[in-house]
Amino acid sequence: MSKYELFIGLRYMKSKRKNAFVSLITMISIVGVTVGVMALIIVLAVMNGFEEDLKSKILGTNSHVVVLQVGKDGMSGYPEIMEKIRKDPRVVSATPFVLNQVMLTSQNNVSGVVLRGIIPEEEGRVTDITRNMVEGDIMALSPKPGKPDQSEVYGIVIGRELSGSLGTYLGDPVNVVSPLGRITPLGMVPKMTQFRVVGIFDSGLYEYDTGLAYISLPNAQKFFDMGDRVTGIEIKLDNIYAAEDARNRIQKALGPDYWAKDWMQMNRNLFSALKLEKITMFIILSLIILVAALNIISTLTMVVMEKGKEIAILKSMGARRKSIMQIFMVEGLIIGFLGTTFGCLFGLVVALNLETVVGFIEKLFHFKIIDSSVYYIDKLPSQVNPMDVFLVVLITFLISLFSTIYPSYKASKLDPVEAIRYE
């Protein structure tokens, strides 16, 4: 593209005063591209923020990798297995756990939960349970030395939502009932033990806060008659995105008798749904850019009609079809470039300061956009992914480029004799 094609294309951006409507359409096209790009960047940033927020909450309660024994009711000899696991360079910490379903009963209500037996001193190295505590202390789960087991009421930690559902708070007793009871002459009798609430946690996820409770590992082994066996081993890695490779290495080191699962496998359906929703939102919001592209086509078509005489003169002076096409493509690309640039800038400013923008809107219109009692979050999370921004800019620019081809081709095919005849 030579300088004169660029110069003429820039001049054509300004319409004659009698046809100022063309300039208005040009501005609308730029605004359309700007709005489309800005909307895409903001929505994708919010979707990324939701995904990261959900990921942090899930990993705050669950470990990165879990190892179970195949085909057996519990894992025996777990200290030796943990030694093998700790040899992996990605492993930061590993701790055993017991997991089983029980019923929690109080004077007010009954609820089914998953009871997890843990070592309180080690659990904080694998999950964020210690940081999620809002009342009490996770360390209170450890059995107190010097007291006989028969006289001691063991501690239990429950979620905030479960606490409200049962009407049981810090220091209150709660009964744990196991469906795996013992056989008596009268038949199967559920096993029941009373515990005392020594802590309440808030993970930020309703499912965990209503359906999860913690007791100490020795108490869990005793309650479920497991002896020295455990359900499995939970592992924390130095990089959550290296979980698949670490899982494969651990699986290979332990052999076929053990089964290793990483956090992505355990939550595949949830993150697949989020990814699908993100792709769907991208496609839907891209329609805004397609509408702006139609505006570019109509703008260039009107410019071609307005500049018929000038095109004829340029052709008479020896301008080639390629040059004529490039002149009008310049205008379309400038519309796309300006719209993409403004949209990217405004989108990034809003996405990076979304909490401030949302707070301003809430204060201005006196309503709450995010109600924490309904949505379980108190703000719109936002995280800008550079790759998403690059894809938005690239796709927008390509759409703008393709929208210039047809009007530019029509301009290059204009017959100079026909154009001048009616002037």
Side-chain angles (χ1 to χ4, degrees):
M1 181 183 296
S2 60
K3 290 184 178 180
Y4 94 90
E5 293 158 350
L6 180 61
F7 174 76
I8 296 176
L10 292 173
R11 287 292 300 271
Y12 281 4
M13 288 286 292
K14 296 181 180 180
S15 179
K16 295 178 181 178
R17 184 169 296 178
K18 64 180 181 180
N19 288 324
F21 181 68
V22 176
S23 294
L24 177 62
I25 296 296
T26 301
M27 293 302 300
I28 292 174
S29 300
I30 295 174
V31 172
V33 176
T34 300
V35 171
V37 172
M38 183 173 68
L40 266 174
I41 290 176
I42 294 173
V43 170
L44 292 178
V46 172
M47 294 299 297
N48 290 333
F50 272 120
E51 185 175 347
E52 288 300 318
D53 184 65
L54 185 61
K55 192 182 299 180
S56 65
K57 288 178 178 178
I58 289 175
L59 293 178
T61 309
N62 294 282
S63 58
H64 300 163
V65 178
V66 172
V67 174
L68 306 172
Q69 191 162 8
V70 178
K72 291 188 178 181
D73 184 19
M75 178 189 296
S76 56
Y78 66 88
E80 293 80 7
I81 299 170
M82 289 176 59
E83 287 300 320
K84 292 182 180 179
I85 291 172
R86 289 191 176 112
K87 291 179 181 179
D88 190 279
R90 287 288 185 185
V91 173
V92 174
S93 182
T95 182
F97 70 95
V98 169
L99 196 68
N100 223 322
Q101 292 182 329
V102 298
M103 296 288 291
L104 292 188
T105 67
S106 67
Q107 294 181 351
N108 303 311
N109 209 343
V110 179
S111 181
V113 301
V114 173
L115 188 64
R116 177 179 287 184
I118 61 172
I119 300 176
E121 294 79 10
E122 297 182 8
E123 185 69 17
R125 303 171 192 166
V126 178
T127 66
D128 292 336
I129 182 62
T130 53
R131 286 187 289 179
N132 291 339
M133 296 296 297
V134 291
E135 292 184 51
D137 187 1
I138 192 72
M139 298 303 171
L141 291 179
S142 298
K144 297 178 182 179
K147 289 187 177 181
D149 294 345
Q150 292 79 5
S151 64
E152 185 178 359
V153 178
Y154 299 121
I156 186 172
V157 172
I158 61 178
R160 173 180 281 179
E161 294 292 337
L162 181 59
S163 172
S165 175
L166 293 175
T168 304
Y169 303 98
L170 197 66
D172 292 343
V174 61
N175 295 319
V176 177
V177 182
S178 171
L180 304 175
R182 55 182 178 271
I183 299 176
T184 68
L186 299 177
M188 180 69 73
V189 178
K191 186 174 183 178
M192 183 175 68
T193 302
Q194 188 177 81
F195 287 75
R196 182 174 57 87
V197 177
V198 296
I200 297 174
F201 69 89
D202 184 3
S203 68
L205 285 175
Y206 181 81
E207 290 77 9
Y208 292 152
D209 289 351
T210 56
L212 187 62
Y214 295 90
I215 61 176
S216 69
L217 183 67
N219 291 342
Q221 290 173 323
K222 180 180 178 181
F223 182 75
F224 294 115
D225 297 323
M226 297 185 67
D228 60 350
R229 292 175 292 119
V230 296
T231 302
I233 298 171
E234 48 187 354
I235 305 164
K236 183 177 182 179
L237 307 175
D238 59 356
N239 184 358
I240 62 173
Y241 300 105
E244 185 176 359
D245 292 336
R247 170 180 61 83
N248 291 333
R249 287 195 303 269
I250 292 171
Q251 180 76 70
K252 186 177 179 181
L254 296 179
D257 292 335
Y258 297 91
W259 182 26
K261 297 190 297 182
D262 60 64
W263 65 273
M264 288 182 285
Q265 286 180 312
M266 293 184 283
N267 301 279
R268 178 171 295 171
N269 291 338
L270 179 60
F271 288 109
S272 295
L274 282 175
K275 185 177 181 180
L276 179 61
E277 186 176 355
K278 181 179 176 181
I279 294 172
T280 304
M281 293 298 296
F282 184 90
I283 294 173
I284 292 174
L285 291 174
S286 295
L287 296 177
I288 301 176
I289 299 175
L290 291 176
V291 171
L294 294 177
N295 284 336
I296 294 175
I297 294 174
S298 63
T299 301
L300 294 182
T301 302
M302 296 178 71
V303 172
V304 170
M305 294 172 62
E306 179 190 2
K307 305 295 184 182
K309 182 178 178 180
E310 286 87 342
I311 294 171
I313 293 173
L314 288 172
K315 281 196 167 186
S316 301
M317 295 174 63
R320 296 175 299 172
R321 286 185 177 181
K322 181 180 178 182
S323 298
I324 299 298
M325 282 191 67
Q326 290 176 350
I327 288 173
F328 288 94
M329 288 179 72
V330 164
E331 182 172 353
L333 291 176
I334 289 175
I335 293 174
F337 174 77
L338 292 177
T340 303
T341 301
F342 290 140
C344 189
L345 290 175
F346 294 149
L348 288 175
V349 168
V350 174
L352 294 174
N353 300 277
L354 189 60
E355 189 174 352
T356 303
V357 173
V358 170
F360 173 76
I361 294 174
E362 290 178 342
K363 186 177 180 181
L364 182 65
F365 295 101
H366 304 288
F367 76 100
K368 201 72 173 161
I369 295 178
I370 298 295
D371 189 350
S372 59
S373 63
V374 176
Y375 298 103
Y376 227 70
I377 55 174
D378 56 359
K379 63 180 180 179
L380 272 177
S382 176
Q383 180 173 349
V384 177
N385 187 345
M387 182 55 66
D388 288 342
V389 177
F390 173 75
L391 288 176
V392 170
V393 171
L394 178 63
I395 291 174
T396 305
F397 195 75
L398 289 176
I399 291 175
S400 302
L401 174 62
F402 288 131
S403 65
T404 65
I405 293 177
Y406 175 74
S408 302
Y409 177 75
K410 294 293 289 184
S412 68
K413 295 284 288 184
L414 189 66
D415 186 357
V417 176
E418 292 293 328
I420 297 175
R421 177 180 296 175
Y422 302 102
E423 291 294 332

